[in-house]
PDB file of all heavy atoms in Angstrom:
ATOM      1  N   LEU A  31       1.845  14.308  18.064  1.00 97.00           N
ATOM      2  CA  LEU A  31       1.302  15.625  17.851  1.00 97.00           C
ATOM      3  C   LEU A  31      -0.089  15.780  18.604  1.00 97.00           C
ATOM      4  O   LEU A  31      -0.857  14.745  18.853  1.00 97.00           O
ATOM      5  CB  LEU A  31       1.025  15.904  16.436  1.00 97.00           C
ATOM      6  CG  LEU A  31       2.189  15.940  15.467  1.00 97.00           C
ATOM      7  CD1 LEU A  31       1.913  16.251  13.986  1.00 97.00           C
ATOM      8  CD2 LEU A  31       2.995  17.125  15.934  1.00 97.00           C
ATOM      9  N   PRO A  32      -0.433  16.935  19.099  1.00 95.00           N
ATOM     10  CA  PRO A  32      -1.538  17.083  19.920  1.00 95.00           C
ATOM     11  C   PRO A  32      -2.882  17.188  19.195  1.00 95.00           C
ATOM     12  O   PRO A  32      -3.526  18.128  19.230  1.00 95.00           O
ATOM     13  CB  PRO A  32      -1.288  18.393  20.557  1.00 95.00           C
ATOM     14  CG  PRO A  32      -0.557  19.248  19.552  1.00 95.00           C
ATOM     15  CD  PRO A  32       0.332  18.156  18.871  1.00 95.00           C
ATOM     16  N   ALA A  33      -3.243  16.070  18.656  1.00 97.00           N
ATOM     17  CA  ALA A  33      -4.461  15.873  17.954  1.00 97.00           C
ATOM     18  C   ALA A  33      -4.979  14.488  17.978  1.00 97.00           C
ATOM     19  O   ALA A  33      -4.185  13.548  18.226  1.00 97.00           O
ATOM     20  CB  ALA A  33      -4.349  16.254  16.480  1.00 97.00           C
ATOM     21  N   PRO A  34      -6.354  14.301  17.993  1.00 97.00           N
ATOM     22  CA  PRO A  34      -6.877  12.920  18.015  1.00 97.00           C
ATOM     23  C   PRO A  34      -6.364  12.156  16.729  1.00 97.00           C
ATOM     24  O   PRO A  34      -6.159  12.788  15.657  1.00 97.00           O
ATOM     25  CB  PRO A  34      -8.366  13.118  18.001  1.00 97.00           C
ATOM     26  CG  PRO A  34      -8.553  14.568  18.329  1.00 97.00           C
ATOM     27  CD  PRO A  34      -7.481  15.239  17.981  1.00 97.00           C
ATOM     28  N   TYR A  35      -6.286  10.854  16.863  1.00 97.00           N
ATOM     29  CA  TYR A  35      -5.809  10.030  15.736  1.00 97.00           C
ATOM     30  C   TYR A  35      -6.743  10.366  14.479  1.00 97.00           C
ATOM     31  O   TYR A  35      -6.100  10.481  13.340  1.00 97.00           O
ATOM     32  CB  TYR A  35      -5.884   8.506  16.066  1.00 97.00           C
ATOM     33  CG  TYR A  35      -5.705   7.615  15.020  1.00 97.00           C
ATOM     34  CD1 TYR A  35      -4.453   7.442  14.432  1.00 97.00           C
ATOM     35  CD2 TYR A  35      -6.709   6.889  14.465  1.00 97.00           C
ATOM     36  CE1 TYR A  35      -4.201   6.491  13.416  1.00 97.00           C
ATOM     37  CE2 TYR A  35      -6.483   5.894  13.426  1.00 97.00           C
ATOM     38  CZ  TYR A  35      -5.280   5.750  12.931  1.00 97.00           C
ATOM     39  OH  TYR A  35      -5.118   4.896  11.791  1.00 97.00           O
ATOM     40  N   ALA A  36      -7.896  10.453  14.540  1.00 97.00           N
ATOM     41  CA  ALA A  36      -8.775  10.644  13.430  1.00 97.00           C
ATOM     42  C   ALA A  36      -8.535  11.924  12.677  1.00 97.00           C
ATOM     43  O   ALA A  36      -8.588  12.017  11.417  1.00 97.00           O
ATOM     44  CB  ALA A  36     -10.336  10.646  13.703  1.00 97.00           C
ATOM     45  N   GLU A  37      -8.071  12.913  13.353  1.00 97.00           N
ATOM     46  CA  GLU A  37      -7.810  14.208  12.744  1.00 97.00           C
ATOM     47  C   GLU A  37      -6.230  14.437  12.361  1.00 97.00           C
ATOM     48  O   GLU A  37      -5.934  15.380  11.707  1.00 97.00           O
ATOM     49  CB  GLU A  37      -8.100  15.338  13.713  1.00 97.00           C
ATOM     50  CG  GLU A  37      -9.645  15.383  14.070  1.00 97.00           C
ATOM     51  CD  GLU A  37      -9.962  16.298  15.182  1.00 97.00           C
ATOM     52  OE1 GLU A  37      -9.041  17.330  15.281  1.00 97.00           O
ATOM     53  OE2 GLU A  37     -11.084  16.259  15.775  1.00 97.00           O
ATOM     54  N   CYS A  38      -5.446  13.504  12.737  1.00 97.00           N
ATOM     55  CA  CYS A  38      -4.065  13.579  12.403  1.00 97.00           C
ATOM     56  C   CYS A  38      -3.619  12.403  11.527  1.00 97.00           C
ATOM     57  O   CYS A  38      -4.054  12.573  10.376  1.00 97.00           O
ATOM     58  CB  CYS A  38      -3.228  13.414  13.788  1.00 97.00           C
ATOM     59  SG  CYS A  38      -1.618  13.874  13.773  1.00 97.00           S
ATOM     60  N   CYS A  39      -2.958  11.418  11.889  1.00 98.00           N
ATOM     61  CA  CYS A  39      -2.542  10.338  11.036  1.00 98.00           C
ATOM     62  C   CYS A  39      -3.609   9.538  10.541  1.00 98.00           C
ATOM     63  O   CYS A  39      -3.536   8.961   9.350  1.00 98.00           O
ATOM     64  CB  CYS A  39      -1.395   9.582  11.742  1.00 98.00           C
ATOM     65  SG  CYS A  39       0.127  10.436  12.058  1.00 98.00           S
ATOM     66  N   GLY A  40      -4.685   9.299  11.139  1.00 97.00           N
ATOM     67  CA  GLY A  40      -5.832   8.608  10.794  1.00 97.00           C
ATOM     68  C   GLY A  40      -6.352   9.060   9.440  1.00 97.00           C
ATOM     69  O   GLY A  40      -6.835   8.280   8.567  1.00 97.00           O
ATOM     70  N   ARG A  41      -6.305  10.411   9.206  1.00 97.00           N
ATOM     71  CA  ARG A  41      -6.869  10.903   7.912  1.00 97.00           C
ATOM     72  C   ARG A  41      -5.963  10.391   6.873  1.00 97.00           C
ATOM     73  O   ARG A  41      -6.456  10.155   5.594  1.00 97.00           O
ATOM     74  CB  ARG A  41      -6.789  12.428   7.916  1.00 97.00           C
ATOM     75  CG  ARG A  41      -7.776  13.090   8.893  1.00 97.00           C
ATOM     76  CD  ARG A  41      -7.516  14.602   8.893  1.00 97.00           C
ATOM     77  NE  ARG A  41      -6.320  15.225   8.680  1.00 97.00           N
ATOM     78  CZ  ARG A  41      -5.928  15.801   7.493  1.00 97.00           C
ATOM     79  NH1 ARG A  41      -6.683  16.039   6.472  1.00 97.00           N
ATOM     80  NH2 ARG A  41      -4.618  16.358   7.352  1.00 97.00           N
ATOM     81  N   LEU A  42      -4.807  10.350   6.989  1.00 98.00           N
ATOM     82  CA  LEU A  42      -3.783   9.811   6.029  1.00 98.00           C
ATOM     83  C   LEU A  42      -3.901   8.415   5.817  1.00 98.00           C
ATOM     84  O   LEU A  42      -3.957   7.942   4.584  1.00 98.00           O
ATOM     85  CB  LEU A  42      -2.216  10.167   6.422  1.00 98.00           C
ATOM     86  CG  LEU A  42      -2.010  11.637   6.669  1.00 98.00           C
ATOM     87  CD1 LEU A  42      -0.553  11.874   7.038  1.00 98.00           C
ATOM     88  CD2 LEU A  42      -2.298  12.578   5.563  1.00 98.00           C
TER      89      LEU A  42
END
Side-chain angles (χ1 to χ4, degrees):
L31 292 178
Y35 172 69
E37 296 172 19
C38 194
C39 294
R41 294 178 328 110
L42 304 179

